Amino acid sequence: HWRDFMKKNVLLFSHQMKVGGAPTVLCEMGKILNKKYNVVVLSPSDGAMRTQFEEAGISVLISGEITDALRDMIVQEFDFAVANTTLALPVVVKLAGRMPVYWWIHEGTLAYEGRQEMKEYYQFAAKYARIFSAGHVAAENFYHFYRIKTEILEFGLSDCYVAARDNRKHDHINVICPSTVCELKGQDILVQAIKSMDAGLREKCKFVFLGELRNDNAKEYQMIETLAKEYQNVELHPLVEREKLLDLYYDMDVVVAPSREDATPATIVEGLMYHKICICSSGTGVSRYLKDGWDGFVFENANADDLRNKLEYMVRNFADLGELRERGRKVYETIYSYDIFEKNVLEKIGTV
């Protein structure tokens, strides 16, 4: 039995438990809901995120499919559910009309390729759920493909930055691109930009990629591997859990999100939180809150030359970017801070 008889019981649904942006922000939402409710997370597959949920006091339930018996248990034991990402569609359909469901959408257009024929399923599900989008890009895409209007619920991340641990003294300007390696996240654009940089400026940097080889990203992964063999100052490391990534930021100067499309890259929000110089494409939702050259850098989507220009400018003017870093931190504080997120979550989730 998962129930707490003293509080309302909430079921979160995460499409996976691998380390990634969507499970990370769902876990943050779970921590907030946990202050008021008893929270359990359900996922079809296990992974490294489990420990983060468990450390937040959230029980983890793994089940490959939602059988009728499991559905009946959920309806009986829980007061409402929060489904995360468009991949939660089967769960929303299964629970439709049986209990209140809140649905949080994060995806960009590429996620919808080949899913147009699902339109009526989404429209059916939308009748039974209160739907939120994590930013304007996600909202526009969901409306464009399925003609479903959603409310905006930007995520927030709790402030993990400890000034005393920040290390700004190193031989190179350390640049990190920590997002999952795939076409969508645009690592190939960054690879092209690095290759075409002025050699003298490029040598002043160290570039760190994090990623793993999967069956669907061989091309992008190999591009980074080849680059790392060619240049001593390019490194490719396996993905790390979020705690380690947050530690790694202290040794970094610049965070890059070259995504072709990304509603809100958590990595850039983390970069802003950690007072880093953030460079992202105009295909990211976060770029709408950044003014190029003022509190971060925004390059034209999928344009490797423009990204190279931003990188070169950043290297040339590196010593003068202290104020830009602090203005970037302000964007975190005003848009993505945990306090604002907490207020929004408690006002919007579980209240209707």
Side-chain angles (χ1 to χ4, degrees), residues 42-44 62-67 70 94:
L42 167 68
S43 180
I62 304 295
S63 176
E65 64 170 320
I66 298 204
T67 58
L70 178 57
K94 209 77 177 177

Side-chain angles (χ1 to χ4, degrees), residues 15 22 29 36-37 39 42 47 76 78 115 124 133 142 151 169 186 204-205 211 260 270 272 280 307 337:
H15 72 288
M29 180 187 276
K36 194 170 158 186
Y37 309 108
V39 184
L42 167 68
Q76 197 182 326
F78 294 94
R115 281 207 236 155
F124 166 79
S133 291
F142 202 62
E151 301 169 60
K169 293 187 170 58
K204 291 184 176 171
C205 301
R260 288 180 165 80
E270 288 162 349
L272 295 168
C280 60
L307 174 53
S337 82

